[in-house]
Amino acid sequence: MALATRHWQELEQKYYMRTFNRLPVVLVRGEGARVWDEEGRSYLDMVAGLAVNVLGHCHPAVVEAITKQAGRLIHTTNLYYTTPQLELAELLIENSCADRIFFANSGAEANEGAIKLARKWGHLHRNGAYRIITATNSFHGRTLATLAATGQPKYHKPFAPMPDGFTSVEFNDLDALKAATGPDTCAVMLEVVQGESGVHLGDHDYLVGVRRWCDEQGLLLIFDEIQTGLGRTGKFLAFEHHGIEPDVFTLAKGLAGGVPIGAFLSKESCSVLTAGDHGSTFGGGPLACAAGVATVKTIFAENLAAHSAEIGAYALEKLRALQAKHDVIDQVRGLGLMVAFDLKTETAPKLVSEALSRGLILNATGPRTIRMVPPLIIGKAEVDEAVETIDRLLA
Ligand SMILES: Cc1ncc(COP(=O)(O)O)c(C=O)c1O
């Protein structure tokens, strides 16, 4: 049956688990910063598949890498060496503070690996300490351990009891973190900018203070760079803004330009996982890693971190001008192309659906907050277009 003649929304209602409140649009194609629905309407995509399509949709470098690799070797196992995996490992290690990497398939899985590494490190070096301190309003994934690490009780409730071993304390409150540290603590895990809860920036003094505290106490510092990494905030990795280095960090989202992938990386000093400790059937597979190599090389070749800093600053400026014009905008914040604004009223979901009907894709992280995490390749013209649409909708 032809595409447009199927009732896709009815099929979803009938067959899919009721886990998503989807917007009423069936997307069938994407190119650059735009996507098209089944009726041929185009949309400016300021969400990029939730911070995934860093090079935009169907970037030629990613399409070519996937196409070539698909004709050569799609999957084998980690029982053998494969070339895209090791090329991507080299690229990420040579361009970061890490010494070793493990590839997974998603952000949650990357964080699970980091948690396992921290726990084993605690067994070996801190008398069996296993507890990890995280922050309120953080987001680390949907598996049971990463959900327990996520400092948002609303996500825990239906699945209680949560796995033991996580304590969440107020973000940007160093004293709270110090007070929560005990003999059973092995690590601290934070986002440099909290994304899912609405783009909340970690304070410079706080992040530097946490690094110092971890050094003093002999704790591992894990940064979850799943949303902030790969140039999104204006640096290749967001912690580079603060002149500090974590012991462990995690990546996913944009790492393979839209193909599922995740990774956790560590310093040699805490690289404690050995044969049999961890594994993955699909993690580090040739197809995803070939897409990853193409994506990361393009990020560097096109200097997309610096571009993200420039366009992000422009977006903040335009949104602040909008704030001066519309009293309903409460606060504007962001770093690079990770941008959000709060409304004084609980109308963010309404604004998102009205924007969609005008050809603009936005994301509401809550009743009052709009988030934009667009492809890093957008220019000022796309920012102008998005801001003009929002302006008209708020008028
Ligand atoms: C900071 C952060 N960590 C982890 C995750 C989980 O990633 P995934 O959905 O790929 O499991 C997300 C997803 O939004 C995230 O933003």
Side-chain angles (χ1 to χ4, degrees), residues 5 11 21 43 59 69 84 96 124 141 147 164-165 167 189 214-215 221 228 247 252 276 291 320 326 336 340 345 370:
T5 58
L11 288 188
N21 288 320
Y43 302 82
H59 190 284
Q69 190 60 44
S96 76
L124 295 174
L147 205 56
D164 183 28
T167 307
M189 178 159 148
C214 287
D215 288 340
L221 176 57
T228 50
D247 304 291
R320 292 207 170 109
H326 298 281
T345 52
I370 300 284

PDB file of all heavy atoms in Angstrom, residues 5 11 21 43 59 69 84 96 124 141 147 164-165 167 189 214-215 221 228 247 252 276 291 320 326 336 340 345 370:
ATOM      1  N   THR A   5      -1.498   6.479   1.868  1.00  0.00           N
ATOM      2  CA  THR A   5      -2.838   5.913   2.010  1.00  0.00           C
ATOM      3  C   THR A   5      -3.006   5.120   3.304  1.00  0.00           C
ATOM      4  O   THR A   5      -4.090   4.711   3.649  1.00  0.00           O
ATOM      5  CB  THR A   5      -3.162   4.992   0.816  1.00  0.00           C
ATOM      6  OG1 THR A   5      -2.173   3.989   0.790  1.00  0.00           O
ATOM      7  CG2 THR A   5      -3.164   5.763  -0.491  1.00  0.00           C
ATOM      8  N   LEU A  11      -2.543   3.249  13.213  1.00  0.00           N
ATOM      9  CA  LEU A  11      -1.713   2.053  13.424  1.00  0.00           C
ATOM     10  C   LEU A  11      -0.925   2.179  14.723  1.00  0.00           C
ATOM     11  O   LEU A  11      -0.788   1.224  15.481  1.00  0.00           O
ATOM     12  CB  LEU A  11      -0.731   1.857  12.258  1.00  0.00           C
ATOM     13  CG  LEU A  11      -1.283   1.404  10.915  1.00  0.00           C
ATOM     14  CD1 LEU A  11      -0.137   1.079   9.963  1.00  0.00           C
ATOM     15  CD2 LEU A  11      -2.167   0.181  11.068  1.00  0.00           C
ATOM     16  N   ASN A  21       3.629  10.532  23.832  1.00  0.00           N
ATOM     17  CA  ASN A  21       2.590  11.469  23.402  1.00  0.00           C
ATOM     18  C   ASN A  21       3.117  12.144  22.149  1.00  0.00           C
ATOM     19  O   ASN A  21       3.803  13.149  22.217  1.00  0.00           O
ATOM     20  CB  ASN A  21       2.326  12.525  24.480  1.00  0.00           C
ATOM     21  CG  ASN A  21       1.590  11.929  25.649  1.00  0.00           C
ATOM     22  OD1 ASN A  21       0.685  11.114  25.472  1.00  0.00           O
ATOM     23  ND2 ASN A  21       1.985  12.323  26.852  1.00  0.00           N
ATOM     24  N   TYR A  43       9.457  21.291   7.457  1.00  0.00           N
ATOM     25  CA  TYR A  43       9.597  21.838   8.811  1.00  0.00           C
ATOM     26  C   TYR A  43      11.064  22.173   9.067  1.00  0.00           C
ATOM     27  O   TYR A  43      11.946  21.385   8.703  1.00  0.00           O
ATOM     28  CB  TYR A  43       9.167  20.801   9.853  1.00  0.00           C
ATOM     29  CG  TYR A  43       7.750  20.312   9.685  1.00  0.00           C
ATOM     30  CD1 TYR A  43       7.464  19.308   8.760  1.00  0.00           C
ATOM     31  CD2 TYR A  43       6.706  20.844  10.430  1.00  0.00           C
ATOM     32  CE1 TYR A  43       6.167  18.854   8.582  1.00  0.00           C
ATOM     33  CE2 TYR A  43       5.398  20.398  10.256  1.00  0.00           C
ATOM     34  CZ  TYR A  43       5.137  19.400   9.328  1.00  0.00           C
ATOM     35  OH  TYR A  43       3.859  18.956   9.151  1.00  0.00           O
ATOM     36  N   HIS A  59      23.294  13.885   6.131  1.00  0.00           N
ATOM     37  CA  HIS A  59      24.515  14.549   5.676  1.00  0.00           C
ATOM     38  C   HIS A  59      25.251  13.613   4.702  1.00  0.00           C
ATOM     39  O   HIS A  59      25.401  12.408   4.980  1.00  0.00           O
ATOM     40  CB  HIS A  59      25.409  14.870   6.877  1.00  0.00           C
ATOM     41  CG  HIS A  59      26.564  15.758   6.527  1.00  0.00           C
ATOM     42  ND1 HIS A  59      27.671  15.282   5.858  1.00  0.00           N
ATOM     43  CD2 HIS A  59      26.776  17.078   6.732  1.00  0.00           C
ATOM     44  CE1 HIS A  59      28.526  16.285   5.675  1.00  0.00           C
ATOM     45  NE2 HIS A  59      28.001  17.387   6.198  1.00  0.00           N
ATOM     46  N   GLN A  69      29.861   1.109   4.009  1.00  0.00           N
ATOM     47  CA  GLN A  69      30.072   0.077   5.029  1.00  0.00           C
ATOM     48  C   GLN A  69      29.027  -1.030   4.913  1.00  0.00           C
ATOM     49  O   GLN A  69      29.326  -2.211   5.120  1.00  0.00           O
ATOM     50  CB  GLN A  69      30.052   0.718   6.423  1.00  0.00           C
ATOM     51  CG  GLN A  69      30.500  -0.227   7.533  1.00  0.00           C
ATOM     52  CD  GLN A  69      31.920  -0.738   7.344  1.00  0.00           C
ATOM     53  OE1 GLN A  69      32.823   0.023   7.010  1.00  0.00           O
ATOM     54  NE2 GLN A  69      32.124  -2.038   7.508  1.00  0.00           N
ATOM     55  N   PRO A  84      36.390   0.144  11.514  1.00  0.00           N
ATOM     56  CA  PRO A  84      35.732   1.407  11.878  1.00  0.00           C
ATOM     57  C   PRO A  84      35.758   1.656  13.387  1.00  0.00           C
ATOM     58  O   PRO A  84      35.945   2.788  13.845  1.00  0.00           O
ATOM     59  CB  PRO A  84      34.300   1.214  11.363  1.00  0.00           C
ATOM     60  CG  PRO A  84      34.400   0.176  10.300  1.00  0.00           C
ATOM     61  CD  PRO A  84      35.484  -0.742  10.749  1.00  0.00           C
ATOM     62  N   SER A  96      40.580  13.959  23.043  1.00  0.00           N
ATOM     63  CA  SER A  96      39.994  14.171  24.378  1.00  0.00           C
ATOM     64  C   SER A  96      41.010  13.801  25.437  1.00  0.00           C
ATOM     65  O   SER A  96      42.117  13.358  25.129  1.00  0.00           O
ATOM     66  CB  SER A  96      38.732  13.311  24.540  1.00  0.00           C
ATOM     67  OG  SER A  96      39.090  11.954  24.769  1.00  0.00           O
ATOM     68  N   LEU A 124      37.959  -2.119  44.063  1.00  0.00           N
ATOM     69  CA  LEU A 124      39.421  -2.282  44.054  1.00  0.00           C
ATOM     70  C   LEU A 124      40.142  -1.222  44.882  1.00  0.00           C
ATOM     71  O   LEU A 124      41.169  -1.501  45.494  1.00  0.00           O
ATOM     72  CB  LEU A 124      39.949  -2.226  42.612  1.00  0.00           C
ATOM     73  CG  LEU A 124      39.517  -3.349  41.667  1.00  0.00           C
ATOM     74  CD1 LEU A 124      40.009  -3.062  40.249  1.00  0.00           C
ATOM     75  CD2 LEU A 124      40.053  -4.693  42.155  1.00  0.00           C
ATOM     76  N   GLY A 141      19.170   8.359  31.701  1.00  0.00           N
ATOM     77  CA  GLY A 141      18.696   7.240  30.883  1.00  0.00           C
ATOM     78  C   GLY A 141      17.507   6.529  31.487  1.00  0.00           C
ATOM     79  O   GLY A 141      17.029   6.882  32.572  1.00  0.00           O
ATOM     80  N   LEU A 147      18.100   5.144  35.500  1.00  0.00           N
ATOM     81  CA  LEU A 147      16.915   5.825  36.036  1.00  0.00           C
ATOM     82  C   LEU A 147      17.133   6.149  37.516  1.00  0.00           C
ATOM     83  O   LEU A 147      16.788   7.235  37.990  1.00  0.00           O
ATOM     84  CB  LEU A 147      15.703   4.911  35.860  1.00  0.00           C
ATOM     85  CG  LEU A 147      14.324   5.543  35.773  1.00  0.00           C
ATOM     86  CD1 LEU A 147      14.264   6.563  34.659  1.00  0.00           C
ATOM     87  CD2 LEU A 147      13.275   4.457  35.543  1.00  0.00           C
ATOM     88  N   ASP A 164      19.656   0.133  44.413  1.00  0.00           N
ATOM     89  CA  ASP A 164      20.378   0.890  45.435  1.00  0.00           C
ATOM     90  C   ASP A 164      21.676   1.462  44.839  1.00  0.00           C
ATOM     91  O   ASP A 164      22.165   0.989  43.820  1.00  0.00           O
ATOM     92  CB  ASP A 164      20.721  -0.072  46.581  1.00  0.00           C
ATOM     93  CG  ASP A 164      21.399   0.646  47.727  1.00  0.00           C
ATOM     94  OD1 ASP A 164      21.148   1.859  47.910  1.00  0.00           O
ATOM     95  OD2 ASP A 164      22.205  -0.007  48.436  1.00  0.00           O
ATOM     96  N   GLY A 165      22.185   2.507  45.477  1.00  0.00           N
ATOM     97  CA  GLY A 165      23.533   2.947  45.125  1.00  0.00           C
ATOM     98  C   GLY A 165      23.608   4.333  44.520  1.00  0.00           C
ATOM     99  O   GLY A 165      24.651   4.706  43.980  1.00  0.00           O
ATOM    100  N   THR A 167      22.562   8.592  45.141  1.00  0.00           N
ATOM    101  CA  THR A 167      22.051   9.666  45.984  1.00  0.00           C
ATOM    102  C   THR A 167      22.037  10.920  45.141  1.00  0.00           C
ATOM    103  O   THR A 167      23.073  11.281  44.572  1.00  0.00           O
ATOM    104  CB  THR A 167      23.000   9.914  47.186  1.00  0.00           C
ATOM    105  OG1 THR A 167      23.216   8.678  47.849  1.00  0.00           O
ATOM    106  CG2 THR A 167      22.430  10.926  48.162  1.00  0.00           C
ATOM    107  N   MET A 189      28.518  11.755  39.460  1.00  0.00           N
ATOM    108  CA  MET A 189      28.160  11.737  38.040  1.00  0.00           C
ATOM    109  C   MET A 189      27.248  12.921  37.735  1.00  0.00           C
ATOM    110  O   MET A 189      26.206  13.093  38.362  1.00  0.00           O
ATOM    111  CB  MET A 189      27.433  10.429  37.741  1.00  0.00           C
ATOM    112  CG  MET A 189      26.962  10.280  36.333  1.00  0.00           C
ATOM    113  SD  MET A 189      26.718   8.498  36.014  1.00  0.00           S
ATOM    114  CE  MET A 189      25.393   8.557  34.880  1.00  0.00           C
ATOM    115  N   CYS A 214      36.509  15.713  44.429  1.00  0.00           N
ATOM    116  CA  CYS A 214      36.742  14.325  44.016  1.00  0.00           C
ATOM    117  C   CYS A 214      38.224  13.969  44.171  1.00  0.00           C
ATOM    118  O   CYS A 214      38.557  12.866  44.615  1.00  0.00           O
ATOM    119  CB  CYS A 214      36.283  14.105  42.573  1.00  0.00           C
ATOM    120  SG  CYS A 214      34.493  14.076  42.402  1.00  0.00           S
ATOM    121  N   ASP A 215      39.098  14.918  43.818  1.00  0.00           N
ATOM    122  CA  ASP A 215      40.541  14.671  43.984  1.00  0.00           C
ATOM    123  C   ASP A 215      40.889  14.497  45.460  1.00  0.00           C
ATOM    124  O   ASP A 215      41.615  13.576  45.828  1.00  0.00           O
ATOM    125  CB  ASP A 215      41.355  15.839  43.399  1.00  0.00           C
ATOM    126  CG  ASP A 215      41.321  15.846  41.875  1.00  0.00           C
ATOM    127  OD1 ASP A 215      41.007  14.792  41.291  1.00  0.00           O
ATOM    128  OD2 ASP A 215      41.569  16.911  41.277  1.00  0.00           O
ATOM    129  N   LEU A 221      35.215  11.206  39.035  1.00  0.00           N
ATOM    130  CA  LEU A 221      34.269  12.185  38.500  1.00  0.00           C
ATOM    131  C   LEU A 221      33.859  11.725  37.098  1.00  0.00           C
ATOM    132  O   LEU A 221      34.706  11.555  36.207  1.00  0.00           O
ATOM    133  CB  LEU A 221      34.902  13.583  38.446  1.00  0.00           C
ATOM    134  CG  LEU A 221      34.030  14.675  37.808  1.00  0.00           C
ATOM    135  CD1 LEU A 221      32.674  14.813  38.514  1.00  0.00           C
ATOM    136  CD2 LEU A 221      34.757  16.024  37.834  1.00  0.00           C
ATOM    137  N   THR A 228      25.628  17.043  25.719  1.00  0.00           N
ATOM    138  CA  THR A 228      26.465  18.235  25.604  1.00  0.00           C
ATOM    139  C   THR A 228      27.691  18.031  24.707  1.00  0.00           C
ATOM    140  O   THR A 228      28.292  19.014  24.258  1.00  0.00           O
ATOM    141  CB  THR A 228      26.988  18.637  27.001  1.00  0.00           C
ATOM    142  OG1 THR A 228      27.553  17.472  27.621  1.00  0.00           O
ATOM    143  CG2 THR A 228      25.884  19.194  27.872  1.00  0.00           C
ATOM    144  N   ASP A 247      37.337  11.846  35.146  1.00  0.00           N
ATOM    145  CA  ASP A 247      38.030  10.557  35.056  1.00  0.00           C
ATOM    146  C   ASP A 247      37.366   9.677  34.010  1.00  0.00           C
ATOM    147  O   ASP A 247      38.012   8.849  33.385  1.00  0.00           O
ATOM    148  CB  ASP A 247      37.992   9.855  36.423  1.00  0.00           C
ATOM    149  CG  ASP A 247      38.594  10.738  37.496  1.00  0.00           C
ATOM    150  OD1 ASP A 247      39.819  10.950  37.442  1.00  0.00           O
ATOM    151  OD2 ASP A 247      37.844  11.258  38.345  1.00  0.00           O
ATOM    152  N   ALA A 252      26.914   9.711  23.351  1.00  0.00           N
ATOM    153  CA  ALA A 252      25.916   8.949  22.565  1.00  0.00           C
ATOM    154  C   ALA A 252      25.312   9.937  21.571  1.00  0.00           C
ATOM    155  O   ALA A 252      26.058  10.596  20.843  1.00  0.00           O
ATOM    156  CB  ALA A 252      24.866   8.303  23.459  1.00  0.00           C
ATOM    157  N   GLY A 276      35.695 -10.107  30.232  1.00  0.00           N
ATOM    158  CA  GLY A 276      34.558 -10.741  30.895  1.00  0.00           C
ATOM    159  C   GLY A 276      33.726  -9.795  31.742  1.00  0.00           C
ATOM    160  O   GLY A 276      32.587 -10.093  32.102  1.00  0.00           O
ATOM    161  N   ALA A 291      29.715   5.314  10.567  1.00  0.00           N
ATOM    162  CA  ALA A 291      28.944   6.567  10.624  1.00  0.00           C
ATOM    163  C   ALA A 291      29.576   7.522  11.639  1.00  0.00           C
ATOM    164  O   ALA A 291      29.645   8.735  11.420  1.00  0.00           O
ATOM    165  CB  ALA A 291      27.493   6.282  10.981  1.00  0.00           C
ATOM    166  N   ARG A 320      16.784  36.919  23.561  1.00  0.00           N
ATOM    167  CA  ARG A 320      16.724  37.967  24.602  1.00  0.00           C
ATOM    168  C   ARG A 320      15.968  39.186  24.065  1.00  0.00           C
ATOM    169  O   ARG A 320      15.215  39.834  24.807  1.00  0.00           O
ATOM    170  CB  ARG A 320      18.121  38.328  25.087  1.00  0.00           C
ATOM    171  CG  ARG A 320      18.723  37.173  25.852  1.00  0.00           C
ATOM    172  CD  ARG A 320      19.769  37.540  26.898  1.00  0.00           C
ATOM    173  NE  ARG A 320      20.052  36.346  27.690  1.00  0.00           N
ATOM    174  CZ  ARG A 320      21.184  35.634  27.652  1.00  0.00           C
ATOM    175  NH1 ARG A 320      22.184  36.031  26.896  1.00  0.00           N
ATOM    176  NH2 ARG A 320      21.334  34.560  28.395  1.00  0.00           N
ATOM    177  N   HIS A 326       8.206  40.351  24.550  1.00  0.00           N
ATOM    178  CA  HIS A 326       7.072  39.545  25.035  1.00  0.00           C
ATOM    179  C   HIS A 326       7.243  39.269  26.525  1.00  0.00           C
ATOM    180  O   HIS A 326       8.111  38.480  26.916  1.00  0.00           O
ATOM    181  CB  HIS A 326       6.980  38.218  24.282  1.00  0.00           C
ATOM    182  CG  HIS A 326       6.743  38.377  22.813  1.00  0.00           C
ATOM    183  ND1 HIS A 326       5.493  38.661  22.277  1.00  0.00           N
ATOM    184  CD2 HIS A 326       7.592  38.300  21.765  1.00  0.00           C
ATOM    185  CE1 HIS A 326       5.605  38.740  20.963  1.00  0.00           C
ATOM    186  NE2 HIS A 326       6.852  38.542  20.630  1.00  0.00           N
ATOM    187  N   GLY A 336      26.222  27.496  23.596  1.00  0.00           N
ATOM    188  CA  GLY A 336      26.307  26.989  22.227  1.00  0.00           C
ATOM    189  C   GLY A 336      24.909  26.753  21.689  1.00  0.00           C
ATOM    190  O   GLY A 336      23.981  27.523  21.965  1.00  0.00           O
ATOM    191  N   ALA A 340      17.399  27.326  25.688  1.00  0.00           N
ATOM    192  CA  ALA A 340      16.034  27.168  26.206  1.00  0.00           C
ATOM    193  C   ALA A 340      15.489  28.502  26.665  1.00  0.00           C
ATOM    194  O   ALA A 340      16.248  29.437  26.928  1.00  0.00           O
ATOM    195  CB  ALA A 340      16.009  26.175  27.360  1.00  0.00           C
ATOM    196  N   THR A 345       3.701  31.254  31.734  1.00  0.00           N
ATOM    197  CA  THR A 345       2.480  30.441  31.763  1.00  0.00           C
ATOM    198  C   THR A 345       2.817  29.002  31.340  1.00  0.00           C
ATOM    199  O   THR A 345       3.836  28.760  30.696  1.00  0.00           O
ATOM    200  CB  THR A 345       1.456  31.004  30.761  1.00  0.00           C
ATOM    201  OG1 THR A 345       2.108  31.142  29.491  1.00  0.00           O
ATOM    202  CG2 THR A 345       0.950  32.364  31.203  1.00  0.00           C
ATOM    203  N   ILE A 370      10.728  25.698  26.783  1.00  0.00           N
ATOM    204  CA  ILE A 370      10.997  25.319  25.388  1.00  0.00           C
ATOM    205  C   ILE A 370      12.502  25.129  25.224  1.00  0.00           C
ATOM    206  O   ILE A 370      13.289  25.987  25.632  1.00  0.00           O
ATOM    207  CB  ILE A 370      10.540  26.436  24.411  1.00  0.00           C
ATOM    208  CG1 ILE A 370       9.037  26.712  24.541  1.00  0.00           C
ATOM    209  CG2 ILE A 370      10.957  26.104  22.966  1.00  0.00           C
ATOM    210  CD1 ILE A 370       8.130  25.696  23.895  1.00  0.00           C
TER     211      ILE A 370
END
